[in-house]
Amino acid sequence: MCGIVGYAGTRECGDILIDGLRRLEYRGYDSAGVAIHTTNGVERVRAEGKLANLERAFRDTPLHGTVGIGHTRWATHGRPSEANAHPHMVDGFVVVHNGIIENHMELRDELEAGGDRFESETDTEIIAHLVARERPKTDSLLEAVRNTMAQVRGSYAVVVMNADEPDLMVAARQASPLIVGLGDGENFAASDVPAIMMHTRDVVFMNDGDFAVIRRDSVEFSDTSGAPVTHTAKRILWDPVSAEKQGYKHFMLKEIHEQPDRIIDTMRGRVSLETNHVHFPDMALDDEVLSSVKRIIILACGTSYHAGMVGRYAIEKLARVPVEVDLASEFRYRDPVIGEGTLIVAISQSGETADTLAAVAEAKRRGAKAIAICNVIESTLTRVCEGTIYTHAGPEIGVASTKAFTTQLVALYLLAIWLAQERGTQEPAERIELLEGLRRIPGQIEKCIQDEARIREFARNYVDVHSFLFLGRGMQFPIALEGALKLKEISYIHAEGYAAGEMKHGPIALIDDDLPVVVVAPRNEHYEKVLSNLEEVKARGGRVIAVTSEPAGDVLRHADDVMTIPEVPELLQPLVTVIPLQLLSYCIADIKGTDIDQPRNLAKSVTVE
Ligand code: AGP
């Protein structure tokens, strides 16, 4: 969850590191720090809180040097504080780390018994102590780091420097992302591409078990045994502008507005205009495996899980394959049964979510094949799966997922249509109609987004409430869950999503004028039933916000506030009903003045359990 950046070159690196951390702040933002080789050895500046605090501290105490490392933290062991902020330093050995050292307690006990004194509550400081202990016994810093990492259990991306070896840093990766950027007379380490892409676009994605010695004019890779490893750099082609706010007040708002274009990107090259066939030219999984699928298990967390729930409806309806959807964090511990012909579809924006990775590993261990629906190119998930359907949403910086969700839905629809096409379970005419419907979606989302000003007006009436209920049926149930998740994560208002049919089995007891109920009721086969649920809420004095198809008709009579969507094919409705819910959450949070892009306690990629 933390962000790492390292630089070895000829330029002053303070600003390079801090600028890189700014682009990684989505990974964690409770404290930050940098350490730089200066004429006095290695010196550090650290600060609790947002990166702005580190920038201020660095301005007050600037450090000058051309080799350094930086870190932005999401606390796992030890509260957010300056003492717990990275880099950690022991006898001139300096470490930044992303991940979790699982055997930190026993290692700490052992080190303390040997006389080591700890300055922080973190698991990371152990690495600095171990490197300091190992270095005198070995020939090189690389060997010391290798011997250290052999003693720790868990996940890590680490970069280590030594005050006595000012021209190099050593990086190591195990189950946490780490890349090396190759420049001209300068080289970089980072957790993610945006941190360094204004300096170089030639990037090596390190593998688990890789070590790298990074100097200004060379990078050498090796494995856990010390054998050299050869990597070919990949050229990053995407545009850095997509990682900027471009005049929007928040990344989340920008990302909501981007959805029409990103959905076009998700479909690009996958739907033939001539034959109206779906194909995945970039997915390296042979057609035979995919078309012999007997059962699909979708694994994901959070918003991606909600996308998976929608995907289940689409795949079962079109391709007639039984689909289960499981929270990755539950699946990995429930001794799952994987029969022959089981295909795992793992969904993740980041491709680094620890639970999703572990669930896929568990399924593969039991013989399943796995494909990923993922946004981040070359992320860990894409490398452990047999094939990937990239969503091409571009960098999503806002912690609350928006464009990642709708592009995941489009990828799932395409997968469902493709399976149906290969298995012959859908009439070609129906496929053509559905694909035409998909092509119209970007324009229809655009139309929903234009409702923002009106939604903002009535959102004012809801900023002081303490709790919301979201109701939906069928494919709108996951949308109700997603609406509730969006609202709670950015506005800090409690919200619960419920299957509308379950309301009478409990939640109806909560209804009074203090609990606004958002009812997702587009015109579809469940419309009448959801309308009855809406009336049941009104009859008990509840306030109703409805999402429905235009013209709003009957709903207008019962709802206090209405958000409409254009007429779209029923199967595709989730792609548009979610838009007003994203905007409602955004407007309520914006009026409340919360930190929308970096809500408290959260981080963009959850790389720990
Ligand atoms: C969504 O708004 C959340 N920030 C969160 O639920 C997220 O979807 C979840 O952590 C899964 O992330 P992933 O898609 O990167 O695996």
Side-chain angles (χ1 to χ4, degrees):
M1 321 269 277
C2 306
I4 290 174
V5 57
Y7 176 81
T10 51
R11 295 188 277 160
E12 279 285 333
C13 67
D15 287 344
I16 295 173
L17 296 176
I18 290 176
D19 192 49
L21 292 180
R22 193 175 302 115
R23 288 157 211 275
L24 294 179
E25 218 185 354
Y26 72 90
R27 302 179 66 83
Y29 36 79
D30 61 38
S31 53
V34 293
I36 294 177
H37 278 287
T38 69
T39 46
N40 303 320
V42 170
E43 293 182 86
R44 333 174 251 183
V45 180
R46 298 179 296 166
E48 183 183 332
K50 290 286 186 70
L51 191 65
N53 297 351
L54 176 70
E55 285 180 280
R56 257 191 305 277
F58 193 82
R59 262 201 310 275
D60 294 345
T61 325
L63 302 177
H64 299 287
T66 58
V67 178
I69 52 181
H71 186 273
T72 178
R73 178 169 187 249
W74 185 85
T76 56
H77 297 69
R79 67 195 167 83
S81 67
E82 189 179 329
N84 287 333
H86 303 210
H88 290 285
M89 179 145 82
V90 174
D91 298 338
F93 294 93
V94 197
V95 175
V96 287
H97 166 227
N98 172 31
I100 287 187
I101 305 304
E102 284 165 9
N103 55 341
H104 71 104
M105 297 283 269
E106 57 190 82
L107 288 170
R108 190 173 178 130
D109 287 351
E110 185 196 315
L111 287 159
E112 282 179 338
D116 283 18
R117 290 287 156 262
F118 280 76
E119 287 178 355
S120 75
E121 304 154 302
T122 65
D123 52 343
T124 301
E125 193 184 337
I126 283 153
I127 301 172
H129 283 268
L130 288 175
V131 176
R133 190 173 74 177
E134 291 298 327
R135 182 65 185 94
K137 302 187 215 161
T138 59
D139 286 346
S140 67
L141 183 59
L142 171 65
E143 272 312 298
V145 174
R146 206 191 315 276
N147 293 346
T148 294
M149 298 336 280
Q151 296 168 58
V152 306
R153 256 196 338 267
S155 58
Y156 52 79
V158 288
V159 185
V160 181
M161 300 194 308
N162 174 11
D164 292 338
E165 298 172 86
D167 63 340
L168 68 107
M169 50 194 178
V170 174
R173 175 200 152 123
Q174 181 63 47
S176 283
L178 195 57
I179 60 166
V180 173
L182 307 177
D184 188 8
E186 56 184 9
N187 292 306
F188 303 81
S191 298
D192 197 2
V193 176
I196 58 170
M197 72 182 172
M198 69 299 288
H199 306 296
T200 178
R201 282 164 171 271
D202 295 321
V203 166
V204 170
F205 292 84
M206 287 176 69
N207 289 327
D208 283 350
D210 276 356
F211 290 79
V213 177
I214 303 170
R215 294 185 163 86
R216 59 178 57 93
D217 47 12
S218 68
V219 180
E220 285 158 26
F221 294 99
S222 53
D223 65 14
T224 40
S225 71
V229 171
T230 309
H231 280 296
T232 314
K234 295 218 157 86
R235 190 121 248 256
I236 302 299
L237 297 172
W238 41 273
D239 184 359
V241 171
S242 52
E244 309 288 346
K245 266 192 222 155
Q246 292 175 306
Y248 287 96
K249 186 170 177 192
H250 296 102
F251 278 111
M252 182 182 176
L253 187 61
K254 177 198 160 213
E255 288 156 4
I256 289 173
H257 278 259
E258 261 182 79
Q259 290 177 104
D261 287 342
R262 297 296 79 81
I263 283 173
I264 294 170
D265 290 344
T266 312
M267 290 198 284
R268 201 187 304 282
R270 290 171 174 160
V271 182
S272 156
L273 287 173
E274 290 87 51
T275 63
N276 273 303
H277 276 85
V278 171
H279 58 129
F280 296 106
D282 52 345
M283 183 164 65
L285 183 61
D286 54 74
D287 289 1
E288 211 183 297
V289 175
L290 279 177
S291 47
S292 64
V293 171
K294 293 195 181 66
R295 170 178 170 241
I296 289 175
I297 303 177
I298 297 179
L299 299 173
C301 302
T303 287
S304 300
Y305 171 72
H306 300 152
M309 289 175 76
V310 174
R312 167 170 58 192
Y313 283 92
I315 295 170
E316 288 194 337
K317 189 167 182 60
L318 301 184
R320 309 306 300 152
V321 186
V323 181
E324 290 163 41
V325 192
D326 216 337
L327 290 165
S329 54
E330 292 296 316
F331 177 88
R332 62 185 288 193
Y333 292 119
R334 73 169 170 79
D335 198 6
V337 179
I338 306 282
E340 208 187 306
T342 299
L343 177 71
I344 300 294
V345 178
I347 310 175
S348 173
Q349 186 286 130
S350 61
E352 302 294 347
T353 300
D355 283 320
T356 308
L357 292 173
V360 170
E362 184 57 35
K364 284 176 69 89
R365 207 173 57 77
R366 291 168 189 248
K369 295 256 187 265
I371 60 168
I373 292 181
C374 189
N375 187 34
V376 177
I377 292 169
E378 286 290 330
S379 55
T380 307
L381 183 67
T382 67
R383 295 197 275 153
V384 296
C385 287
E386 273 82 22
T388 299
I389 302 175
Y390 280 111
T391 52
H392 299 307
E396 190 181 63
I397 309 292
V399 163
S401 263
T402 51
K403 62 175 181 169
F405 179 69
T406 42
T407 54
Q408 284 167 349
L409 291 188
V410 171
L412 283 159
Y413 284 120
L414 292 178
L415 178 64
I417 296 170
W418 183 86
L419 284 167
Q421 169 192 298
E422 297 304 296
R423 298 162 65 87
T425 50
Q426 190 187 24
E427 290 298 324
E430 285 173 25
R431 183 177 70 240
I432 292 168
E433 201 180 316
L434 200 55
L435 288 172
E436 276 167 4
L438 264 180
R439 288 191 195 101
R440 283 195 298 272
I441 290 290
Q444 288 163 324
I445 290 182
E446 196 74 69
K447 205 155 172 267
C448 295
I449 293 173
Q450 284 165 13
D451 215 15
E452 184 193 332
R454 204 185 58 78
I455 294 174
R456 181 174 287 272
E457 269 315 300
F458 74 74
R460 289 178 203 288
N461 304 329
Y462 297 96
V463 288
D464 293 323
V465 302
H466 297 295
S467 198
F468 265 82
L469 189 62
F470 286 70
L471 299 177
R473 256 177 209 266
M475 293 181 95
Q476 302 306 328
F477 168 42
I479 298 304
L481 293 176
E482 175 60 10
L485 176 62
K486 273 317 65 110
L487 185 68
K488 72 185 112 182
E489 69 182 331
I490 60 168
S491 74
Y492 314 145
I493 296 174
H494 170 257
E496 221 179 319
Y498 240 88
E502 279 288 294
M503 189 176 67
K504 288 201 215 46
H505 301 284
I508 198 162
L510 293 170
I511 289 172
D512 61 18
D513 61 1
D514 252 357
L515 180 90
V517 181
V518 179
V519 182
V520 192
R523 252 187 304 280
N524 59 24
E525 59 167 328
H526 304 299
Y527 181 65
E528 302 292 335
K529 285 195 172 58
V530 181
L531 224 54
S532 306
N533 299 134
L534 193 156
E535 284 175 35
E536 286 155 12
V537 173
K538 279 315 281 181
R540 283 155 185 84
R543 284 195 277 171
V544 172
I545 305 173
V547 177
T548 192
S549 314
E550 59 196 12
D554 301 339
V555 172
L556 276 178
R557 276 190 282 124
H558 300 290
D560 298 86
D561 293 293
V562 176
M563 303 183 283
T564 54
I565 60 154
E567 207 60 63
V568 299
E570 193 166 327
L571 195 69
L572 304 180
Q573 281 176 344
L575 277 166
V576 281
T577 49
V578 75
I579 307 296
L581 301 187
Q582 294 172 346
L583 287 168
L584 179 67
S585 300
Y586 174 79
C587 292
I588 291 177
D590 191 32
I591 296 166
K592 284 190 79 174
T594 58
D595 192 345
I596 290 182
D597 285 332
Q598 297 179 338
R600 68 186 179 203
N601 305 337
L602 288 169
K604 185 69 184 163
S605 51
V606 184
T607 57
V608 292
E609 248 193 275

